Structure formats: structure tokens, C-alpha cells
């Protein structure tokens, strides 16, 4: 089974690229982020004609998450326990939740498409929101795995953190002055992993970026960052047989600024004969 995550940065703009890639790469399940549309605006027909069913969570032209799957999806959730909300200028516990999380179950695997808040700037309320969001996701993950230690769980998406110095190649991000590389953000990511998940791609693909800004020739200069991840529970990680970062998808006409991250998972009784990644 081939599972992927991709921040598509507007699905209506890039539907042709995404569906073509899904079919060409024989993807079974794709988690998408930043779809930037409501469910009724999602270009569903192109996916359905290619043999995929959809789960979509979007509230407006910002954010938004979705799944495309060749297999049935059940237990659809549009938030996780304790997930905080955000509205500029509003404080307190009753801030509206954004469309940043979508959970589905596929072939007994619990999969999440996650778009972690950007943070905007150190000291910005959105930065506090980002850390609170990480804290809630960590607690949810810990509780899920405590209740079911054998759960094949995967947290997939744009985590908006470069966990290690080698993951940050964009010179505009300055230690002590920029988000994505601050000690608090990196600690939040590490704490999430300590709750029972690990990066299942890095052991197989130790180097490589997943995002390059559109500005300042960042992609031709390879000044990117690694911020898109698939974090799996032990049961999920043990089933991963291969992984890849599809850098070529940053090229061509109207690309997303992110590229797909893909894993092959061997399910019990699976006779998958697709070629390995190289």
C-alpha cells in the first residue's frame, strides 16, 4: 500500500498535476493540506474518475485538509481532542477551530492529514497558537497510543518545523529571529515524537528538502527546508518498506511550493509487487 502526504497549496489550481501524479505513482492514499476551498468547491470529479474517493474538510479559502483514497475510509474526524482554535484579536478558550486536521481509518490504519499553524513570527499570537496546537496534538497522540498500543497510526502533513539544522537551507530564516527553527518549536516537535511516533521517512531518506519558497530562486539554489513529515507509531513504522521525497514535483508549470512525501507500507497478506523507490 502506497501512502503519501502533499501540501498542494490550492487544489483547484493544481488538480491536474495532483491527479496525474496519483495515477502515475500508483498512490493508494494521499493526505492533502492547504486545499484552500470548501468541500463543495473541491474538484471531486477528476479524483473520482481516477478511482479515488474523498474526505474533505475546508471552511473557506484558507487552510483546509483532505484525503483521496482508493480504499474505503471510515471514522472520519475533523479535529482531535483538545485541538485549539484561533481568531486574530480574540483570546480565551472559545476561539473557532480552523480546518487543519482530518482523521480517517483505512485498512485498520489510523491516518491524519495535518496542517500545523505557521506561527508567523516569534512573539505573535499565532506563534503561541502553534505551540498550543502541538501540545494538544501530543496529548491526543499519547492518549490514542496508550489506549491502543498496537494501533497503526500515522500523522502526516506540513508540520511547519525544521527539526534539525540540516533541515533548514533557506538563508532568510535566522536563528533567534525566525519561526520554524526556534528552540520552542523544535522542542514541541521532539515532544510529539516522544509521545510514541517517529519519522518513518528519514531513516530511508536521510537528506532532502520538502519545501522551497517561490521567491528569490529558492528552488534553483536548493535553498529549501524539510517540514513535511510522516510520523508513525511503532506498528505503522514496522510496516514501512520504502520511502521517497518526490523533488521533481517542484518543477514544471504551476507547482506547489511543497512536494509529496511517500511511503510504502506492507499490510498483512499484502502481495504488493510494485517497484521500490530509487
Amino acid at each position: 500500500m502506497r501512502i503519501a502526504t502533499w501540501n498542494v497549496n490550492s487544489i483547484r489550481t493544481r488538480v491536474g498535476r495532483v491527479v496525474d501524479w496519483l495515477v502515475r505513482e500508483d498512490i493508494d492514499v494521499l493526505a492533502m493540506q492547504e486545499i484552500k476551498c470548501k468541500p463543495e468547491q473541491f474538484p471531486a470529479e477528476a479524483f473520482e474518475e481516477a478511482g479515488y474517493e474523498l474526505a474533505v474538510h475546508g471552511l473557506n479559502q484558507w487552510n483546509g485538509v483532505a484525503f483521496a483514497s482508493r480504499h474505503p475510509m471510515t471514522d472520519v474526524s475533523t479535529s482531535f481532542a483538545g485541538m485549539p482554535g484561533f481568531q486574530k484579536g480574540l483570546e480565551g478558550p472559545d476561539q473557532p477551530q480552523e480546518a487543519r486536521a482530518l482523521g480517517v481509518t483505512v485498512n485498520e490504519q489510523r491516518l491524519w492529514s495535518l496542517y500545523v499553524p505557521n506561527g508567523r513570527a516569534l512573539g505573535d499570537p499565532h506563534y503561541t497558537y502553534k505551540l498550543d496546537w502541538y501540545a494538544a496534538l501530543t496529548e491526543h497522540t499519547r492518549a490514542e497510543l496508550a489506549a491502543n498500543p498496537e494501533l497503526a497510526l500515522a500523522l502526516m502533513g506540513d508540520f511547519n518545523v525544521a527539526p534539525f539544522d540540516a533541515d533548514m537551507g533557506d538563508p532568510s530564516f535566522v536563528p533567534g529571529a525566525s519561526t520554524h527553527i526556534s528552540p520552542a518549536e523544535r522542542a514541541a516537535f521532539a515532544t510529539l515524537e516522544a509521545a510514541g511516533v517517529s519519522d518513518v521517512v528519514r531513516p530511508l531518506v536521510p537528506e532532502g528538502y520538502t519545501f522551497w519558497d517561490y521567491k528569490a530562486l529558492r528552488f534553483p539554489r536548493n535553498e529549501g527546508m524539510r517540514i513535511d513529515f510522516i510520523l508513525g507509531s511503532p506498528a505503522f513504522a514496522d510496516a514501512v518498506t520504502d520511502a521517497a521525497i518526490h523533488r521533481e514535483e517542484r518543477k514544471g508549470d504551476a507547482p506547489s511550493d511543497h512536494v509529496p512525501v511517500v511511503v510504502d507500507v506492507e499490510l498483512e497478506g499484502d502481495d504488493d509487487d510494485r517497484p521500490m523507490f530509487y
Side-chain angles (χ1 to χ4, degrees):
M1 187 172 179
R2 188 159 285 174
I3 300 173
T5 181
W6 193 357
N7 180 322
V8 296
N9 191 11
S10 181
I11 189 59
R12 288 179 290 178
T13 299
R14 276 169 261 285
V15 57
R17 284 193 67 130
V18 172
V19 173
D20 175 75
W21 177 82
L22 280 172
V23 174
R24 174 167 29 96
E25 297 297 332
D26 201 17
I27 305 297
D28 292 295
V29 183
L30 173 64
M32 290 171 272
Q33 303 84 43
E34 269 202 285
I35 60 170
K36 295 184 176 180
C37 66
K38 299 176 181 178
E40 62 268 23
Q41 298 170 316
F42 194 96
E45 184 176 356
F47 286 86
E48 292 166 353
E49 288 179 352
Y52 292 86
E53 63 179 72
L54 296 164
V56 180
H57 179 42
L59 300 175
N60 46 42
Q61 73 273 29
W62 310 110
N63 309 319
V65 283
F67 275 99
S69 175
R70 287 171 167 169
H71 306 274
M73 294 179 282
T74 60
D75 304 320
V76 178
S77 302
T78 57
S79 65
F80 51 82
M83 191 177 92
F86 182 82
Q87 183 172 313
K88 188 175 180 179
L90 183 66
E91 298 181 357
D94 298 324
Q95 298 178 68
Q97 289 186 342
E98 298 179 304
R100 293 185 176 274
L102 183 65
V104 299
T105 298
V106 180
N107 289 341
E108 300 184 356
Q109 299 171 105
R110 187 60 177 167
L111 309 176
W112 283 90
S113 179
L114 303 170
Y115 180 39
V116 176
N118 177 279
R120 298 179 183 169
L122 302 182
D124 191 283
H126 208 260
Y127 180 77
T128 302
Y129 168 49
K130 180 178 189 175
L131 297 179
D132 290 345
W133 211 91
Y134 260 110
L137 177 61
T138 298
E139 184 53 39
H140 168 77
T141 301
R142 184 179 292 113
E144 284 278 282
L145 294 177
N148 185 359
E150 300 304 314
L151 177 66
L153 170 70
L155 310 179
M156 305 186 288
D158 178 356
F159 286 79
N160 270 315
V161 169
F164 303 104
D165 289 346
D167 297 331
M168 177 53 72
D170 187 328
S172 67
F173 284 74
V174 179
S178 302
T179 62
H180 291 61
I181 55 174
S182 71
E185 289 165 289
R186 286 178 166 177
F189 188 92
T191 302
L192 172 59
E193 288 194 290
V197 292
S198 62
D199 185 343
V200 301
V201 176
R202 197 183 296 273
L204 297 163
V205 190
E207 298 179 351
Y209 300 134
T210 64
F211 168 91
W212 296 260
D213 201 308
Y214 292 124
K215 302 188 294 291
L217 297 175
R218 292 290 183 235
F219 183 67
R221 297 175 188 270
N222 197 30
E223 296 175 340
M225 60 183 86
R226 188 168 183 154
I227 58 176
D228 301 86
F229 300 99
I230 300 176
L231 306 181
S233 66
F236 186 89
D238 288 347
V240 172
T241 59
D242 204 4
I245 295 173
H246 285 214
R247 187 180 189 277
E248 294 298 303
E249 290 305 313
R250 185 59 175 78
K251 300 178 180 179
D253 295 332
S256 171
D257 42 8
H258 297 251
V259 296
V261 179
V262 188
V263 293
D264 281 342
V265 177
E266 185 174 345
L267 302 178
E268 186 174 345
D270 193 358
D271 59 353
D272 193 347
D273 59 356
R274 289 175 297 196
M276 302 290 279
F277 296 118
Y278 294 99

